[in-house]
Amino acid sequence: HVQLVESGGASVQVGGSLRLSCVTSASAIRTGCMAWFRQTPGKEREVVASIDTGGMRTLYADSVKGRFTISRDSAKNRLYLQMSSLKPEDTAMYYCAATGPDFAFTLEMRYFSYWGQGTQVTVS
């Protein structure tokens, strides 16, 4: 079982930057592919960015390309999301997720078995 805990959410101004962190209870191999998702009230959860087990491949939602960067530090069992040029539409609860060892790289939410509790980002 993999436990995930996010941190770093805050209220920021439009155009500002923020870095989210997620600490995992397991190694990169056991954690597998990791991703950030976000959700606002009344809307479906959507993928923001995904990174493979080795930290070499990444994928981003079109809405955040060029503004957000996902990375992972396997030595520290941490996942990051660097967000810049923030917009009001980035306001959401952000969740860290992991697939476990069965998937090396994916964007499909159904394959993510482990989730954090979320951290709130508000841009105004």
Side-chain angles (χ1 to χ4, degrees), residues 1-2 97-100 103 109-115:
H1 186 73
V2 178
T99 60
F103 295 93
M109 188 165 60
R110 59 184 169 141
Y111 295 131
F112 288 86
S113 301
Y114 306 102
W115 294 84

Side-chain angles (χ1 to χ4, degrees), residues 43-118:
K43 292 188 177 181
E44 291 187 357
R45 192 170 296 187
E46 62 176 3
V47 65
V48 174
S50 177
I51 188 166
D52 72 349
T53 304
M56 300 301 291
R57 293 177 291 173
T58 57
L59 283 173
Y60 296 91
D62 288 342
S63 58
V64 306
K65 280 181 182 177
R67 300 189 298 120
F68 290 11
T69 301
I70 188 172
S71 61
R72 66 192 297 173
D73 185 335
S74 296
K76 296 181 179 179
N77 288 350
R78 285 186 178 270
L79 176 73
Y80 302 101
L81 184 67
Q82 180 67 47
M83 304 184 293
S84 60
S85 301
L86 283 162
K87 305 175 181 180
E89 50 264 44
D90 294 319
T91 296
M93 184 72 78
Y94 283 73
Y95 297 90
C96 169
T99 60
D102 292 340
F103 295 93
F105 195 35
T106 183
L107 274 180
E108 294 191 44
M109 188 165 60
R110 59 184 169 141
Y111 295 131
F112 288 86
S113 301
Y114 306 102
W115 294 84
Q117 82 290 348

Side-chain angles (χ1 to χ4, degrees), residues 20-39:
L20 304 183
S21 296
C22 173
V23 61
T24 74
S25 62
S27 66
I29 293 177
R30 285 182 56 203
T31 305
C33 174
M34 297 192 73
W36 289 97
F37 291 79
R38 66 186 181 187
Q39 187 172 25

